[in-house]
Amino acid sequence: MLQIKAGEVAAHVSPMLYGLMTEEINFSYDGGLYGELVRNRNFKEDAQNPIHWQLVQEGGGTGSMALDASQGFNEAVPASLKLTIASASGKQQVGVANEGFWGIPVRPNSRYRASFYAKAAPGFNGPLTVAITSNDGATTHASARVGGLTGDWKEYQVTLTTGQVMATAENRLVISTNQAGSLWLGFVSLFPETYANRPNGNRKDIMQLLADMKPAFLRFPGGNYLEGNTIATRFDWKKTIGDIARRPGHLDNAWHYWSSDGMGLLEFLEWCEDLHMQPLLAVYAGYSLRGQRVAPGPDLEPYVTEAIDEIEYVTGPATSTWGARRAKDGHPAPYRLEYVEVGNEDNFDRATGGTYDGRFTQFFDAIKAKYPQLKVISTMRATTRTPDLIDEHYYRNSEDEMASHAHDYDARDRTGPKVFVGEWATRVGRPTPNMSGALGDAAWMTGMERNSDLVVMSSYAPLFVNVNKGGMQWPTDLIGYDAMTSYGSPAYYAQQMFSRNHGDVVLPVTAQGIPTREWQPPRRASVSAQQPPLPPAQQVPTLFYSVTRDSQSGTIYFKIVNRASTPQPVRVEIAGLERVEPKGQSIVLGAASPDDTNSITEPTKIVPVTTSVDGLGSSFTREFPPYSITILELRGK
């Protein structure tokens, strides 16, 4: 039985409770959210070979292609792709083709914006044909012609428009000619129509999935991606702003692939703007993953200055140094910023000397001195300064393990810093969570929501995964996609349900007779040769709950998670209200099996179902389906 005291307030629900965390992993940006369709667009992914590019020779034309370090495009792109056409005329074509990120997606009646920088050897001025073709070259979906090449680097732009073509990703972008001679390509780009029509924007379908979650904030740019394996491969924000053709890109060696840095600092801010989220800016704090760190003091000062400059780029007026640079980049108005996080998972620094206390103090003092209104987040317990929030990360390897921790915050001391659960997930299912993962997640979210006076922000991680072979570095991930389509996992829909349906106050609940099941925790990791004993078995609840109320409308949001394999009847008693309407609404996410999931081929196998319900009131009994997450909306006075 659950007894709800609707006339009392246990806590206030943080308006920032549900947000997003993002980083470049699993081809999250390049090959994922970021709209760019050309892979290795500035020819820097391999210093010796133009990987992801192929030579095209059709109709008897002959030629060759190679990287040319003697013809650098600019200081950020020191090599270009040289195309030599030995012979071509009439219908003979010689050119280069880009394979994209597991294909170039083509849809009917769609526009694509192609652009490239090129120059030619004396005697060659084109024309060039720019086309999206099938991989075998037999079908041209859209094409345009460009002429007037000269001996100087120049940008060329065309719009490619498809007709009634079949939707497919089995395509490539081709730049070709039927004239003999030589030319160089310095940067090649292809964008589809993007969300909010931004020229350097994001995929519409993935952005819509995110918009449907109604997230309150975005934590960026990462994670491990912020730190890099080395200082040289950290997220160096000053190299990610301005003209995309002049961004050098860098090896994301935390996850072992190339990042174009097309998703740069301004693009993260525009992402927040498009989805009406607050930015939560993480700044590099002098620690990289393979143990490189900067000692507090004079050596760290340049990185502190870098962070202060970054905050000014985000928030400064257009008359400030970095605010003026933001205005030059296309956004004169400053962005609202409330939270800054110093570093990421610096608890790992303990093994290399434990410098975070000193580093955090130096960043904290500098940020507070110039921006006292900002809330500063630490990534581990700090002793010399008191952070406004502490970022805690929890990855659990089973539904029962996650559920066993769902009450952890109930008894947490409230005298310390507020909590930001910046990364968490029930890692069950790959590449995306199955229903078991969603049930573990939902159990955990009831605990965060009940305790949102303490846990004021949370964000699942990782957010994205490209499901093609080679696209995943880390299971389990919230949203999956390939070149053509995307889908939300069952855990995604659990997140959506919680984020979209809650009040502003938490109601006290007394529970009796909650069923449990036995769970055997795994052995703890050991560095010794002797295998440690198994920990004692635990009884873990199969029912979890959270109840909130909208103090303006009076609507009660009663969330209940049934992890059991059988329906569970629950007696509900509501005190403190004059009346509870008998009619309400039910939102249910359920599955026949905890192993059931969504996928590219079955994207909506498990989705929330909304129905009208009757039989509610101040006292009622309701049966909750097996393997389900339910939100009851009740109207009270």
Side-chain angles (χ1 to χ4, degrees):
M1 182 172 70
L2 297 178
Q3 295 172 310
I4 302 170
K5 298 176 182 179
E8 300 180 21
V9 174
H12 287 83
V13 179
S14 167
M16 298 289 286
L17 182 57
Y18 299 108
L20 303 176
M21 181 273 176
T22 182
E23 70 174 300
E24 182 64 288
I25 180 177
N26 303 318
F27 291 84
S28 289
Y29 307 150
D30 291 305
L33 178 69
Y34 180 49
E36 177 66 80
L37 300 178
V38 173
R39 189 169 182 181
N40 192 18
R41 64 187 182 182
N42 64 1
F43 315 110
K44 290 186 67 175
E45 289 195 31
D46 188 295
Q48 304 300 320
N49 300 297
I51 58 175
H52 309 299
W53 292 88
Q54 297 85 37
L55 179 67
V56 174
Q57 302 177 102
E58 296 178 346
T62 60
S64 62
M65 71 173 191
L67 292 181
D68 189 346
S70 70
Q71 299 291 328
F73 167 50
N74 57 39
E75 67 282 355
V77 186
S80 58
L81 181 62
K82 182 179 182 181
L83 174 63
T84 302
I85 304 99
S87 65
S89 63
K91 294 185 178 181
Q92 297 174 340
Q93 292 283 321
V94 177
V96 294
N98 187 268
E99 66 190 21
F101 295 88
W102 293 277
I104 300 284
V106 164
R107 294 178 175 83
N109 304 312
S110 298
R111 292 182 302 160
Y112 299 79
R113 178 175 49 83
S115 63
F116 60 94
Y117 284 81
K119 71 175 187 176
F124 182 89
N125 63 0
L128 301 180
T129 298
V130 184
I132 303 174
T133 76
S134 57
N135 284 339
D136 60 8
T139 303
T140 297
H141 301 297
S143 67
R145 301 188 79 183
V146 169
L149 272 68
T150 70
D152 298 319
W153 287 113
K154 181 181 175 183
E155 184 180 18
Y156 301 88
Q157 296 185 6
V158 296
T159 299
L160 303 176
T161 304
T162 62
Q164 292 294 333
V165 300
M166 182 178 69
T168 173
E170 303 299 316
N171 310 297
R172 58 187 184 171
L173 175 69
V174 178
I175 300 175
S176 62
T177 183
N178 63 355
Q179 302 293 320
S182 295
L183 63 100
W184 292 263
L185 298 171
F187 182 90
V188 182
S189 176
L190 180 69
F191 272 84
E193 298 167 19
T194 59
Y195 193 87
N197 296 313
R198 292 197 181 273
N200 191 46
N202 296 329
R203 270 179 61 166
K204 287 182 173 182
D205 57 331
I206 300 177
M207 283 288 280
Q208 190 59 56
L209 284 170
L210 299 177
D212 290 344
M213 294 176 72
K214 295 192 179 302
F217 67 88
L218 176 70
R219 174 189 172 215
F220 65 86
N224 291 353
Y225 183 63
L226 170 70
E227 300 164 305
N229 273 356
T230 62
I231 295 172
T233 55
R234 73 191 188 282
F235 182 78
D236 192 347
W237 72 270
K238 290 180 182 177
K239 296 179 180 178
T240 75
I241 58 176
D243 184 358
I244 60 171
R246 286 171 169 76
R247 298 182 191 179
H250 72 285
L251 179 65
D252 177 12
N253 59 4
W255 302 111
H256 312 296
Y257 62 89
W258 185 261
S259 173
S260 73
D261 285 333
M263 179 68 77
L265 178 57
L266 183 60
E267 285 74 27
F268 284 117
L269 295 168
E270 290 173 337
W271 179 3
C272 292
E273 191 171 49
D274 288 343
L275 296 190
H276 311 291
M277 305 179 289
Q278 276 200 46
L280 190 162
L281 177 67
V283 298
Y284 179 74
Y287 172 74
S288 294
L289 291 166
R290 294 298 174 258
Q292 284 191 353
R293 65 190 187 279
V294 183
D299 290 346
L300 188 63
E301 197 57 34
Y303 299 94
V304 176
T305 300
E306 188 177 278
I308 296 299
D309 289 347
E310 188 172 10
I311 295 170
E312 185 175 277
Y313 184 94
V314 176
T315 67
T319 54
S320 64
T321 300
W322 287 102
R325 179 55 196 269
R326 184 197 63 243
K328 179 183 176 182
D329 292 341
H331 201 282
Y335 285 92
R336 176 189 176 193
L337 183 67
E338 188 175 353
Y339 298 93
V340 174
E341 182 164 7
V342 178
N344 172 70
E345 294 183 344
D346 288 85
N347 52 298
F348 290 112
D349 185 29
R350 289 172 180 159
T352 57
T355 62
Y356 187 66
D357 247 352
R359 291 187 289 108
F360 179 76
T361 295
Q362 200 165 338
F363 277 90
F364 182 92
D365 288 350
I367 293 170
K368 289 290 188 178
K370 188 167 183 180
Y371 300 102
Q373 77 280 9
L374 293 180
K375 294 182 174 67
V376 180
I377 304 170
S378 69
T379 72
M380 60 178 284
R381 293 284 176 182
T383 59
T384 55
R385 297 291 184 273
T386 301
D388 296 291
L389 291 87
I390 183 168
D391 185 357
E392 300 181 351
H393 295 178
Y394 300 107
Y395 291 103
R396 316 292 190 187
N397 292 320
S398 74
E399 174 193 328
D400 279 315
E401 183 182 10
M402 184 60 96
S404 73
H405 289 279
H407 289 280
D408 283 1
Y409 288 113
D410 291 354
R412 174 75 73 88
D413 178 42
R414 261 56 176 178
T415 61
K418 301 291 186 181
V419 174
F420 167 38
V421 185
E423 297 182 29
W424 65 271
T426 309
R427 299 188 65 197
V428 183
R430 54 187 302 156
T432 52
N434 57 22
M435 190 63 196
S436 179
L439 292 167
D441 288 352
W444 174 251
M445 284 191 287
T446 63
M448 291 194 293
E449 189 169 274
R450 281 196 316 274
N451 293 281
S452 60
D453 62 317
L454 174 65
V455 182
V456 297
M457 306 171 80
S458 69
S459 50
Y460 184 104
L463 182 59
F464 297 129
V465 61
N466 190 309
V467 301
N468 284 286
K469 184 178 181 181
M472 180 178 70
Q473 290 80 48
W474 174 284
T476 305
D477 313 288
L478 199 64
I479 293 171
Y481 47 81
D482 59 14
M484 291 298 298
T485 61
S486 57
Y487 69 94
S489 64
Y492 161 85
Y493 287 107
Q495 291 266 319
Q496 184 194 91
M497 289 169 64
F498 273 66
S499 179
R500 293 171 64 112
N501 300 278
H502 63 81
D504 59 333
V505 295
V506 178
L507 302 183
V509 180
T510 302
Q512 299 173 359
I514 297 296
T516 63
R517 71 184 183 208
E518 186 174 280
W519 170 59
Q520 176 59 64
R523 285 184 172 88
R524 296 182 180 89
S526 174
V527 295
S528 68
Q530 185 175 2
Q531 189 178 55
L534 279 172
Q538 297 181 19
Q539 291 295 318
V540 179
T542 56
L543 283 179
F544 292 86
Y545 56 86
S546 173
V547 185
T548 63
R549 188 184 184 202
D550 187 313
S551 57
Q552 296 298 313
S553 69
T555 301
I556 296 173
Y557 298 90
F558 173 38
K559 298 183 174 79
I560 191 157
V561 182
N562 180 17
R563 303 191 305 117
S565 59
T566 56
Q568 295 294 307
V570 177
R571 183 70 179 172
V572 180
E573 303 283 350
I574 302 175
L577 295 178
E578 295 179 7
R579 171 180 169 81
V580 176
E581 298 292 336
K583 295 183 182 295
Q585 180 175 272
S586 171
I587 307 170
V588 179
L589 184 74
S593 164
D595 296 326
D596 286 349
T597 194
N598 296 337
S599 64
I600 285 290
T601 54
E602 292 184 287
T604 56
K605 182 176 181 178
I606 300 171
V607 295
V609 176
T610 302
T611 57
S612 298
V613 295
D614 206 346
L616 306 176
S618 298
S619 178
F620 64 93
T621 298
R622 187 166 184 84
E623 190 173 80
F624 295 92
Y627 309 127
S628 68
I629 303 163
T630 300
I631 301 176
L632 285 180
E633 285 188 22
L634 303 97
R635 305 289 191 270
K637 295 182 179 179

